[in-house]
Amino acid sequence: MSRRIAVAGAGMAAARFAQQYRAHGGDAEVVLYGAEPRGPYNRVLLADVLTGRHDPEAIALPHGAGTIVRGGCEVVGLDPVERRLRLSGGESAGYDELVLATGANPVLPPLRGLYEPDGQKGGLKEGVHAFRTLADCARLAEDAAGAERAVVIGGGVLGVSAARALAALGLPVEIVHQAPYLIERHLDERAGNALRGHLAALGVETYPGNRARALRGGARVTGVELAGGYLLDADLVVLACGVRPRTGLAAAAGITVRKGVVVDDRLAASAPGVYAIGDCAEHRGTVHGLAGPAWEQADLLAARLAGAGGDVRYTGSRPMTRLTAGVLEYAAFGEVGEDIPGTDVLRLVDPTRGSYKKLVLRGDRLVGGILLGDLAAAGDLARAYERDDPLPEDPLDLLTSTR
């Protein structure tokens, strides 16, 4: 029997691994087991599917010739000693190597009135949506067609993308965000406030520094109650409160889990023959939760298991967060604080055009940056940051690049 590599998950990291494994000449049988009925697709583009810019087929991802994709067949149990999987349909399957690419689940906030009033189905109240899968996207699009006002709870990357998409569908949209400004994990306060202005121009009102505490309504949501008592009318609510790594499969099998499935520099988990990549993996205490690092991990592991990687090891990623959607565009990477020891800050602000550019420098190296409203320099900056290249004598040249 030929060697078999099983992949628990059929998302972006899984597809990238399978594609790159074949590209490196790997000849084992590769099987992707996914909970969703569809094959792998680009989750980053879900907001564009919601607006109709892309149809679902257009965001499908390649996964390498000969790769077997078993949709609707989730791995629900794992025996790392016998190297066997238990599948959702009741059957079992063996493996020689196992790649955990189980991704992450959306975090559901502890709101009163979040679930159906009778509690029998255990589902979210009508009009309330998570936004993580194509099925979520289809339900949200159908509901949005008859809605009058929308509230997005959470102003991170996903929340801003969802709000922009709903506004493009013609809905008045409001964002409730607990932090003092939008996308606080990647932007600074000035950039967050500038982004708020861009959203306002699209018809999106933002309430930073506010916490939602309850949803109003009976069978269907009618409003969002804030902690201060203020009520936002809404018949459509999107939950964008972050994600949590899916680690239950690994934990139940006795594999070491902290925030994510703990892996070493070979991306190996604590059980022999088991690896983890993407949103479920924790490397050196970090769970990235972004597409770029997931693909870097997939590339490295694919090369190793195909016998083409030598002793190459994963030492971490330096990702860039990016959104490009018409007039709303930003890119951010690295450390962007104002008081990082040993650093200098270079900033260009153009209120007329609504652009904001910031570089954080340590000597002649780039340690972080933000671009908002003008991404012409994003490519050059990303390369300089990822490679840790020395900067030009005048770093201002990077910010004024027109390429």
Side-chain angles (χ1 to χ4, degrees):
M1 182 179 295
S2 65
R3 173 173 161 237
R4 173 182 289 179
I5 300 175
V7 184
M12 295 176 66
R16 179 76 174 199
F17 167 81
Q19 181 196 40
Q20 291 299 301
Y21 180 78
R22 292 290 180 231
H24 285 295
D27 58 1
E29 179 184 75
V30 179
V31 185
L32 275 53
Y33 297 96
E36 295 183 58
R38 289 179 176 269
Y41 57 86
N42 190 338
R43 204 179 304 277
V44 174
L45 298 176
L46 282 178
D48 289 324
V49 174
L50 182 59
T51 63
R53 183 182 179 190
H54 297 308
D55 59 41
E57 289 69 31
I59 67 169
L61 289 172
H63 42 74
T67 299
I68 300 169
V69 179
R70 297 196 58 184
C73 186
E74 184 178 8
V75 178
V76 296
L78 162 62
D79 183 339
V81 176
E82 296 294 328
R83 301 202 180 197
R84 294 203 68 80
L85 307 174
R86 181 163 51 88
L87 308 177
S88 55
E91 63 183 298
S92 67
Y95 67 85
D96 294 290
E97 284 96 18
L98 172 65
V99 180
L100 297 173
T102 48
N105 286 324
V107 173
L108 301 182
L111 301 176
R112 295 198 310 273
L114 183 62
Y115 298 98
E116 294 176 330
D118 58 16
Q120 293 177 0
K121 298 179 182 178
L124 298 174
K125 187 191 294 289
E126 188 178 348
V128 181
H129 299 264
F131 190 38
R132 182 70 179 169
T133 67
L134 270 171
D136 293 337
C137 191
R139 287 189 291 265
L140 181 56
E142 182 179 2
D143 217 0
E148 295 184 359
R149 296 192 66 85
V151 169
V152 176
I153 300 177
V157 175
L158 178 62
V160 168
S161 297
R164 185 269 306 175
L166 291 170
L169 294 176
L171 279 173
V173 184
E174 295 168 302
I175 297 176
V176 178
H177 190 46
Q178 203 165 334
Y181 56 90
L182 294 170
I183 313 185
E184 77 285 354
R185 286 184 58 193
H186 305 292
L187 304 182
D188 64 10
E189 186 171 5
R190 291 192 189 186
N193 290 335
L195 179 59
R196 184 181 181 185
H198 281 272
L199 286 167
L202 299 177
V204 178
E205 186 62 50
T206 305
Y207 298 87
N210 277 277
R211 179 176 61 84
R213 71 178 180 189
L215 301 184
R216 294 283 186 90
R220 185 178 182 89
V221 66
T222 60
V224 177
E225 182 184 335
L226 304 186
Y230 191 72
L231 181 66
L232 302 177
D233 292 331
D235 55 358
L236 186 70
V237 173
V238 176
L239 305 174
C241 304
V243 296
R244 184 174 292 116
R246 295 186 67 194
T247 59
L249 178 67
I255 295 172
T256 303
V257 168
R258 289 197 288 263
K259 290 179 292 184
V261 179
V262 176
V263 297
D264 61 19
D265 290 357
R266 298 175 298 121
L267 299 171
S270 62
V274 179
Y275 304 85
I277 57 175
D279 290 357
C280 72
E282 177 184 338
H283 174 262
R284 298 188 184 181
T286 297
V287 177
H288 286 287
L290 295 169
W295 283 5
E296 289 177 23
Q297 293 169 2
D299 290 355
L300 183 143
L301 183 59
R304 288 189 66 96
L305 295 188
D311 196 37
V312 62
R313 292 175 177 257
Y314 179 71
T315 57
S317 295
R318 310 187 78 180
M320 172 180 282
T321 304
R322 183 166 180 162
L323 172 67
T324 304
V327 297
L328 181 61
E329 56 180 7
Y330 68 83
F333 54 93
E335 304 175 70
V336 296
E338 298 289 325
D339 53 358
I340 304 169
T343 63
D344 298 301
V345 174
L346 177 62
R347 182 184 288 110
L348 289 180
V349 182
D350 186 344
T352 304
R353 298 183 179 180
S355 69
Y356 176 88
K357 304 176 183 180
K358 174 183 179 179
L359 300 183
V360 181
L361 314 171
R362 181 175 288 116
D364 64 351
R365 294 301 196 274
L366 184 61
V367 298
I370 299 170
L371 299 175
L372 180 70
D374 179 3
L375 303 191
D380 289 342
L381 291 173
R383 284 187 288 273
Y385 173 67
E386 290 168 1
R387 300 171 183 172
D388 199 26
D389 289 340
L391 298 178
E393 184 174 345
D394 185 358
L396 186 63
D397 292 342
L398 289 173
L399 289 186
T400 55
S401 170
T402 58
R403 288 180 289 171

